[in-house]
């Protein structure tokens, strides 16, 4: 019997009224003490702040729990349409500050704790980051959860509960060394296990056509190896509004009857090994932010997420509506965070047809009206493909369904373009070749009613290039949803100093309507306000210095321009271009060309995928250049280069308040959107950037006077590529020639000959896809304009204020309201706990 159908075995339970738990200082602290002393068994002699962190978190969790229940009830009884966000990644970071903030309990907690002699910051720092994601896409999912709850939308997030999150990065001899991140080693105070809502996930086995009593044919997927999906729920509070949504993460657990036979036959070790292999599914997050094709475990993870989540929704549906699916599409929609969960298209078909007896056409109509797909990449090589042979072995029934979807789809294509076999070949869900492969993006497009990119340019390029055939067939499916970031985490919580200054100046309504930040604009002309803004920035820079000093003993100059590039290390993001500029500055210092010098501290941080050799070499280069520059007496007070190791959500919370300059320098047409650009802008950093991703929209918001634009446009990149000749560009540019010479002569790798040869070779190649050399001159000249602007403090502060004031568009509240208006069409569900 499905868990949803079970009768309430404690009929008195629902009326078990609990005393209301206030958010007043006194009540919170009573509750804190109760947990600290009685549940955790600690007292004032306890030396580690961890248990106090747990106790205060439990006290807050209780308060969330009431609201969580109330929200759940509201959704249940209103019978509202619901949205489900399917994502392999949620980069949540820490939760304590967020819970305090969204519950409106920040002051009560810190005052109460301080009366007990406890420093709230110490407890905040005892929490580990939940790093269940790689970068932009994972953090976007977390920001979306915050905004959905804040806008009181009935959205559940579904994901995987990885035992190990994103690796931690150590730098040893300048190189990245990965260390596993066992973030759950002390448990996770914010989650609740819900065994009763577990589902069984099938793998392997074979299919068999059977005829039932009524003569109806049904496919049975049999002889499978099953794994249990056990949900762990995390509360997602909205901002001061009593809504608490759910993030449900699945953990893989071996089924109970696990290989009884083998146990009984005495093959104990085999049986235990298989159990472990089942539980491996959710053991570790894949640390690639681009496609690492063909790994079976990854496909297992994807199907595990899709199947568990869809079964959850479908069993819930059946518990309420029986086998009547006529309203299913009217009441449910699924947003696919990239193609990672896109096997959901075939899985929904399977559940509807094989488990609930729907016909193909009915099931297809439902599927096509419930799925929506978001693409996050323009790099064709990063589009996911799975070998047919692999999928057939692991998911035989799904492979059959995909072939059938493809047959129907190709019939549509041929009806639209009769006789155009070349187009059928191009659009087929199956790529032919030495090895047949399933094109997951095409499956997602064919099975969805909406396809969106994550910034204007990105969405346009998807239509023009990557998915042009599909756009020609179904133009109405395609749309844009420019990304955002949640201002609760990325401004209010991370930069309390600036948030307070803003609220003192324009009130605090901006916190849930970020467009109101525009009210700051007139204050850019107010000298006293600028002075306060400057002081706030300096304080944040000081704090950033202190944060960095915990890692490394380096004296950073507070007066320097803080020039920040933090993001995954990838060739298309062009950290190399940044380094070329640093070497250029260094060379000028060495030549004595330092009139009107603006001191600069270049901070670069990011992780490289462990298997991405070139990215790892870039990290090594940054560290080697840093060693040479920072230890040269000539650069003192003028130039520093710092590699920020182990970049993470937590690190970004410390970095963005203190940044002056935001480096967004990808090759035009390659960065889908970027979201670090938005976080930095919101905190008053000025962008130096190419016309790429959401940079273009940032530029539109702030105007050319408040943005340092450089580089080729996407169209110019395409044109230049035809006759790209970096070697002659280098020869003709004296500054660049000297920079490349310094690199080639081994100045930064004196005891490690040749280690950078490949990197240097890559930018000198006419086939360099990222065309780093092509943008060098424009970048250097624009950096000169940056210095001029920074030298004029008043002008710089004005730019900083104007950037923050115009960042309203980049709140995920705006993004989510657009998803909702155009795709989800959910009704907001106000919750009252009273
Ligand atoms: C795929 C297959 C196997 C293993 C891993 C992966 C994988 C995992 C993560 C592929 C891609 C990702 C993440 C991609 C990502 O973060 N993209 C970024 O998404 C942001 C949010 O939309 C954008 O702002 C960035 O421009 C985009 O690079």
């Amino acid at each position: 019997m499905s868990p949803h159908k079970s009768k309430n075995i404690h009929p008195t339970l629902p009326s078990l009224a609990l005393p209301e738990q206030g958010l007043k200082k006194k009540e919170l602290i009573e509750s804190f003490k109760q947990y600290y002393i009685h549940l955790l068994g600690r007292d004032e002699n306890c030396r580690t702040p961890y248990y106090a962190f747990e106790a205060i978190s439990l006290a807050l969790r209780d308060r969330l729990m009431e609201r969580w229940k109330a929200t759940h009830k509201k959704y249940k009884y209103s019978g509202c349409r619901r949205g489900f966000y399917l994502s392999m990644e949620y980069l949540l970071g820490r939760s304590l500050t967020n819970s305090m903030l969204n519950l409106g309990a920040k002051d009560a907690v810190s005052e109460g704790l301080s009366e007990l002699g406890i420093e709230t910051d110490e407890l905040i720092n005892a929490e580990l980051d939940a790093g269940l994601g790689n970068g932009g896409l994972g953090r976007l999912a977390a920001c979306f959860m915050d905004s959905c709850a804040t806008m009181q939308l009935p959205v559940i997030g579904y994901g995987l509960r990885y035992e190990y999150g994103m690796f931690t990065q150590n730098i040893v001899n300048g190189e990245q060394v990965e260390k596993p991140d066992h973030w759950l080693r002390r448990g996770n105070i914010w989650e609740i296990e819900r065994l009763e809502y577990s589902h069984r996930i099938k793998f392997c086995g074979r299919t068999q056509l059977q005829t039932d009593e009524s003569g109806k044919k049904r496919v049975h997927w049999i002889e499978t190896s099953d794994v249990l999906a056990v949900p762990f729920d995390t509360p997602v509070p909205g901002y001061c509004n009593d809504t608490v949504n759910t993030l449900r993460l699945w953990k893989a657990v071996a089924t109970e009857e696990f290989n009884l036979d083998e146990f009984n036959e005495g093959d104990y070790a085999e049986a235990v090994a298989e159990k472990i292999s089942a539980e491996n599914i959710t053991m570790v997050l894949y640390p690639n932010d681009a496609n690492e094709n063909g790994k079976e475990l990854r496909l297992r993870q994807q199907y595990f997420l899709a199947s568990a989540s869809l079964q959850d929704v479908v069993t819930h549906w059946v518990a309420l509506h029986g086998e009547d699916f006529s309203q299913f599409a009217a009441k449910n929609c699924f947003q696919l965070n990239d193609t990672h969960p896109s096997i959901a298209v075939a899985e929904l078909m399977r559940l509807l047809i094989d488990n609930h007896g729907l016909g193909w056409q009915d099931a297809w109509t439902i599927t096509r009206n419930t799925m929506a797909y978001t693409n996050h990449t323009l790099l064709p090589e990063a589009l996911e493909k799975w070998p047919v042979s692999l999928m057939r072995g692991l998911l035989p029934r799904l492979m059959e369904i995909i072939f059938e979807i493809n047959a129907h789809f190709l019939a549509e294509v041929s009806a639209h373009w009769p006789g155009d076999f070349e187009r059928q070949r191009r659009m087929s869900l199956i790529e032919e070749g030495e090895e047949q492969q399933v094109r997951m993006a095409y499956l997602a497009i064919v099975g969805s009613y909406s396809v969106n990119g994550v910034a204007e340019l990105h969405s346009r390029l998807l239509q023009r290039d990557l998915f042009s055939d599909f756009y020609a067939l179904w133009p109405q499916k395609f749309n844009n949803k420019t990304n955002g970031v949640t201002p609760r985490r990325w401004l209010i919580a991370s930069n309390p100093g600036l948030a307070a200054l803003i609220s003192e100046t324009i009130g605090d309504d901006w916190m849930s309507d970020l467009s109101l930040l525009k009210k700051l604009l007139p204050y850019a002309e107010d000298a006293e306000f600028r002075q306060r803004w400057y002081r706030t920035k300096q304080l944040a820079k000081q704090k950033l210095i202190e944060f960095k000093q915990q890692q490394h003993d380096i004296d950073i100059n507070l007066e320097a321009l803080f020039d920040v590039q933090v993001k995954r290390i990838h060739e298309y993001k062009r950290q190399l271009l940044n380094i070329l500029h640093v070497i250029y500055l260094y060379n000028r210092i060495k030549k004595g060309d330092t009139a009107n010098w603006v001191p600069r501290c270049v901070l670069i941080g990011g992780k490289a995928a462990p298997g991405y050799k070139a990215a790892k070499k870039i990290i090594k280069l940054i560290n080697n250049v840093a060693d040479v520059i920072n230890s040269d007496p000539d650069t003192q007070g003028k130039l520093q280069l710092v590699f920020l190791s182990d970049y993470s959500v937590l690190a970004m919370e410390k970095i963005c308040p203190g940044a002056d300059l935001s480096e967004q320098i990808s090759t035009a047409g390659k960065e889908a959107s970027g979201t670090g650009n938005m976080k930095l802008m919101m905190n008053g950093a000025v962008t130096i950037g190419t016309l790429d991703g959401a940079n273009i929209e940032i530029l539109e918001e702030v105007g050319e006077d408040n943005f340092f634009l450089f580089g080729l446009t996407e169209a110019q990149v395409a044109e230049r590529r035809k006759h790209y000749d970096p070697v002659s560009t280098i020869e003709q540019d004296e500054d660049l020639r000297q920079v490349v010479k310094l690199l080639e002569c081994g100045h930064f790798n004196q005891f490690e000959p040749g280690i950078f040869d490949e990197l240097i070779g890559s930018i000198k190649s006419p086939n360099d896809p990222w065309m780093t050399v092509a943008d060098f001159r424009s970048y250097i000249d624009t950096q000169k304009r940056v210095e001029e602007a920074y030298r004029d403090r008043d002008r710089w502060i004005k730019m900083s204020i104007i950037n923050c004031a115009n960042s309203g568009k980049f709140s995920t509240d705006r993004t989510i309201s657009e998803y909702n208006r155009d795709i989800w069409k959910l009704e907001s569900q106000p919750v009252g706990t009273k």
Side-chain angles (χ1 to χ4, degrees):
M1 186 168 72
S2 114
H4 298 279
K5 279 188 193 152
S6 60
K7 288 274 165 310
N8 192 346
I9 49 168
H10 295 295
T12 53
L13 264 184
S15 59
L16 255 187
L18 291 166
E20 199 170 291
Q21 293 159 318
L23 290 162
K24 299 253 163 54
K25 183 170 78 183
K26 195 162 157 275
E27 296 156 312
L28 276 164
I29 293 310
E30 273 317 304
S31 178
F32 165 79
K33 283 189 192 158
Q34 184 72 17
Y35 280 118
Y36 194 66
I37 297 164
H38 294 106
L39 185 88
L40 303 172
R42 297 310 194 284
D43 60 23
E44 64 279 5
N45 295 318
C46 179
R47 289 275 156 252
T48 140
Y50 181 77
Y51 298 99
F53 152 72
E54 278 204 345
I56 195 65
S57 300
L58 286 166
L60 289 164
R61 200 184 77 177
D62 285 348
R63 274 87 189 154
L64 289 171
M65 200 64 76
E66 293 174 341
R67 292 162 174 79
W68 204 358
K69 292 257 146 64
T71 307
H72 192 78
K73 265 195 195 153
K74 172 81 190 194
Y75 296 166
K76 186 168 166 192
Y77 292 114
S78 73
C80 56
R81 175 175 162 85
R82 289 167 184 246
F84 305 95
Y85 200 73
L86 299 191
S87 176
M88 294 280 285
E89 308 192 359
Y90 290 89
L91 242 183
L92 297 172
R94 290 174 170 169
S95 288
L96 177 54
T97 305
N98 192 249
S99 301
M100 292 193 294
L101 177 70
N102 283 15
L103 278 171
K106 241 183 136 184
D107 293 343
V109 169
S110 49
E111 284 165 22
L113 287 173
S114 107
E115 284 169 20
L116 297 176
I118 298 171
E119 196 66 69
T120 311
D121 270 354
E122 250 195 284
L123 308 198
I124 289 172
N125 289 331
E127 183 173 8
L128 296 178
D129 255 41
L132 308 185
N134 274 282
L137 164 149
R139 182 55 230 178
L140 185 74
C143 286
F144 277 10
M145 288 297 109
D146 182 79
S147 282
C148 287
T150 295
M151 306 183 71
Q152 308 199 290
L153 295 176
V155 172
I156 294 182
Y158 280 117
L160 296 180
R161 182 181 177 275
Y162 302 107
E163 194 78 25
Y164 291 83
M166 188 62 199
F167 64 82
T168 48
Q169 177 193 56
N170 289 323
I171 300 298
V172 178
N173 185 29
E175 283 169 48
Q176 167 173 299
V177 176
E178 302 94 15
K179 212 179 91 207
D181 161 45
H182 194 200
W183 74 291
L184 287 171
R185 67 182 172 272
R186 299 180 108 163
N188 171 12
I189 206 75
W190 300 107
E191 69 185 9
I192 292 191
E193 183 177 2
R194 294 213 184 277
L195 260 179
E196 69 276 29
Y197 297 119
S198 299
H199 298 282
R200 194 174 261 274
I201 314 298
K202 298 183 185 209
F203 289 101
C204 303
R206 64 190 177 91
T207 62
Q208 193 176 56
L209 196 61
Q210 293 176 9
T211 313
D212 65 17
E213 316 81 58
S214 59
K216 229 174 146 186
K217 287 203 162 81
R218 273 217 206 178
V219 176
H220 290 249
W221 182 5
I222 57 173
E223 293 163 17
T224 51
S225 312
D226 297 355
V227 181
L228 274 192
V230 177
F232 286 69
D233 289 352
T234 299
V236 183
Y239 180 64
C240 298
N241 66 3
D242 288 346
T243 288
V244 177
N245 278 346
T246 302
L247 174 62
R248 177 162 280 191
L249 302 181
W250 301 103
K251 176 187 179 175
V253 174
T255 51
E256 269 170 32
E257 78 279 8
F258 206 84
N259 256 327
L260 262 184
D261 294 348
E262 279 181 52
F263 272 115
N264 293 340
E265 281 160 22
D267 212 344
Y268 174 77
E270 279 287 292
V272 173
E274 267 190 55
K275 174 178 156 70
I276 287 171
S277 128
E279 300 191 343
N280 265 344
I281 293 179
T282 51
M283 198 55 71
V284 57
L285 164 80
Y286 272 84
N288 315 296
D289 64 342
N291 210 342
E292 192 182 17
N293 258 326
K295 291 278 195 291
E296 180 183 325
L297 180 59
R298 171 80 180 179
L299 182 57
R300 276 184 192 268
Q301 292 184 334
Q302 297 187 345
Y303 180 64
F304 184 78
L305 167 65
S307 182
S309 312
L310 288 176
Q311 287 190 53
D312 211 36
V313 176
V314 170
T315 38
H316 183 76
W317 179 266
V318 171
L320 289 177
H321 306 272
E323 298 292 322
D324 178 3
F325 282 89
S326 57
Q327 295 304 304
F328 187 82
K331 290 289 186 186
N332 299 287
C333 64
F334 299 93
Q335 191 71 43
L336 307 174
N337 199 17
D338 215 290
T339 51
H340 314 156
S342 61
I343 189 75
V345 169
E347 175 65 0
L348 184 56
M349 291 296 284
R350 184 186 76 84
L351 293 173
L352 294 176
I353 295 171
D354 296 357
N355 292 7
H356 298 283
L358 271 70
W360 181 273
Q361 211 43 58
D362 287 346
W364 187 235
T365 306
I366 290 174
T367 301
R368 264 196 166 170
N369 286 314
T370 39
M371 297 281 166
Y373 157 55
T374 305
N375 171 286
H376 296 266
T377 183
L378 279 158
L379 309 182
E381 65 271 25
L383 288 186
E384 276 195 296
K385 288 174 197 161
W386 290 107
V388 167
S389 57
L390 176 65
M391 203 177 270
R392 196 179 272 133
L394 196 65
L395 307 169
R397 178 59 181 140
L398 287 114
M399 197 57 249
E400 290 175 2
I401 291 173
I402 290 172
F403 273 119
E404 193 159 345
I405 293 175
N406 197 33
H408 287 266
F409 166 61
L410 289 180
E412 254 181 283
V413 174
S414 110
H416 198 269
W417 288 288
D420 191 345
F421 301 113
E422 169 57 19
R423 202 181 292 255
Q424 290 188 35
R425 186 195 59 74
R426 279 204 314 259
M427 296 181 78
S428 173
L429 304 190
I430 308 295
E431 182 176 283
E432 301 293 338
E434 219 167 279
E435 184 172 45
Q436 281 190 316
Q437 309 220 71
V438 185
R439 296 160 162 162
M440 299 308 278
Y442 293 4
L443 175 64
I445 298 173
V446 170
S448 295
Y449 66 95
S450 163
V451 177
N452 75 281
V454 290
E456 292 284 353
L457 174 69
H458 170 227
S459 297
R460 253 188 292 122
L461 294 178
L462 286 181
Q463 296 169 14
R464 195 195 70 187
D465 303 332
L466 223 46
F467 301 146
S468 56
D469 287 321
F470 293 87
Y471 180 62
L473 186 58
W474 297 311
Q476 71 289 350
K477 276 197 195 189
F478 286 76
N479 63 95
N480 171 250
K481 295 288 166 280
T482 298
N483 282 166
V485 303
T486 171
R488 267 74 62 186
R489 183 174 294 260
W490 296 112
L491 182 50
I492 306 173
S494 64
N495 200 348
L498 194 65
L501 173 58
I502 296 170
S503 289
E504 265 177 54
T505 312
I506 61 168
D508 59 12
D509 291 349
W510 61 273
M511 295 184 176
S512 41
D513 178 0
L514 208 66
S515 66
L516 296 176
L517 283 181
K518 281 226 170 15
K519 289 190 188 169
L520 283 174
L521 282 174
Y523 293 91
E525 302 304 324
D526 174 336
E528 196 204 315
F529 182 77
R530 281 201 301 272
Q531 185 57 24
R532 295 179 72 190
W533 190 274
Y534 170 74
R535 278 203 303 266
T536 311
K537 194 53 146 183
Q538 292 302 102
L539 276 176
K541 288 170 78 171
Q542 184 56 43
K543 277 200 186 156
L544 173 51
I545 294 174
E546 285 156 19
F547 171 70
K548 176 63 199 168
Q549 275 169 345
Q550 292 166 7
Q551 289 183 347
H552 264 284
D553 211 14
I554 172 163
D555 273 323
I556 297 174
N557 175 5
L558 180 61
E559 297 310 314
L561 166 73
F562 280 22
D563 172 348
V564 172
Q565 186 177 23
V566 283
K567 49 184 80 247
R568 287 300 285 255
I569 309 290
H570 203 293
E571 287 161 286
Y572 84 80
K573 296 180 190 277
R574 296 200 297 195
Q575 281 90 358
L576 268 179
L577 182 57
N578 192 343
I579 287 301
L580 295 184
H581 173 242
V582 172
I583 297 173
Y584 160 80
L585 291 178
Y586 168 70
N587 192 37
R588 269 181 56 194
I589 294 173
K590 295 309 280 182
K591 291 191 298 190
D593 174 13
T594 57
N596 282 328
W597 191 266
V598 171
R600 193 189 280 252
C601 178
V602 178
L603 301 140
I604 304 180
K607 292 174 182 172
Y612 187 177
K613 295 234 168 60
K616 290 186 135 179
K617 246 327 147 36
I618 292 171
I619 292 179
K620 172 71 173 156
L621 177 63
I622 299 169
N623 281 296
N624 277 24
V625 172
D627 280 348
V628 171
I629 289 185
N630 299 341
S631 60
D632 188 324
D634 294 345
T635 64
Q636 299 314 303
K638 295 193 178 64
L639 178 64
Q640 288 177 308
L641 173 60
V642 175
F643 187 80
L644 298 165
S645 61
D646 202 34
Y647 177 59
S648 62
V649 172
L650 173 62
M652 187 51 151
E653 288 169 8
K654 311 283 183 197
I655 293 164
C656 58
D660 292 311
L661 184 65
S662 159
E663 298 269 353
Q664 308 300 335
I665 60 178
S666 52
T667 314
K670 298 297 175 191
E671 186 71 270
S673 161
T675 45
N677 46 3
M678 301 169 184
K679 292 163 200 165
L680 289 160
M681 172 202 200
M682 213 171 262
N683 284 274
V686 185
T687 305
I688 179 165
T690 47
L691 281 176
D692 200 16
N695 297 351
I696 298 174
E697 290 158 75
I698 291 178
L699 170 62
E700 273 167 18
E701 295 300 300
V702 298
E704 296 221 5
D705 291 345
N706 300 294
F707 187 109
F708 295 98
L709 177 64
F710 77 96
L712 300 176
T713 63
E714 183 275 327
Q716 289 166 340
V717 165
E719 185 50 41
R720 180 78 178 270
R721 215 182 274 292
K722 295 179 194 155
H723 41 83
Y724 184 45
D725 182 3
V727 171
S728 73
T729 309
I730 294 168
E731 269 167 25
Q732 286 158 29
D733 186 323
E734 184 53 25
D735 291 329
L736 179 54
R737 214 178 55 78
Q738 292 184 15
V739 168
V740 173
K741 201 172 131 206
L742 271 175
L743 275 168
E744 285 183 328
C745 77
H747 188 69
F748 304 105
N749 52 319
Q750 293 198 10
F751 305 105
E752 301 159 300
I755 59 167
F756 298 128
D757 288 359
E758 263 181 70
L759 273 191
I760 303 164
S762 74
I763 61 170
K764 289 174 76 176
S765 160
N767 300 319
D768 173 18
W770 323 115
M771 313 239 292
T772 304
V773 161
D775 278 340
F776 176 82
R777 179 43 48 196
S778 159
Y779 184 53
I780 298 294
D781 291 345
T782 307
Q783 288 283 18
K784 286 193 182 133
R785 294 201 289 118
V786 169
E787 281 155 22
E788 247 170 70
Y790 194 74
R791 229 179 277 132
D792 179 349
R793 179 179 297 169
D794 254 2
R795 178 168 161 215
W796 188 271
I797 299 298
K798 263 187 216 175
M799 294 174 85
S800 171
I801 297 168
I802 290 171
N803 266 270
C804 173
N806 287 303
S807 67
K809 171 172 179 186
F810 304 105
S811 165
T812 33
D813 296 349
R814 188 271 314 149
T815 311
I816 287 298
S817 74
E818 290 178 5
Y819 272 91
N820 195 44
R821 182 194 63 202
D822 301 340
I823 308 174
W824 304 342
K825 302 181 191 301
L826 309 170
E827 274 174 40
S828 166
Q829 303 288 322
V831 179
T833 43
K834 300 286 159 340

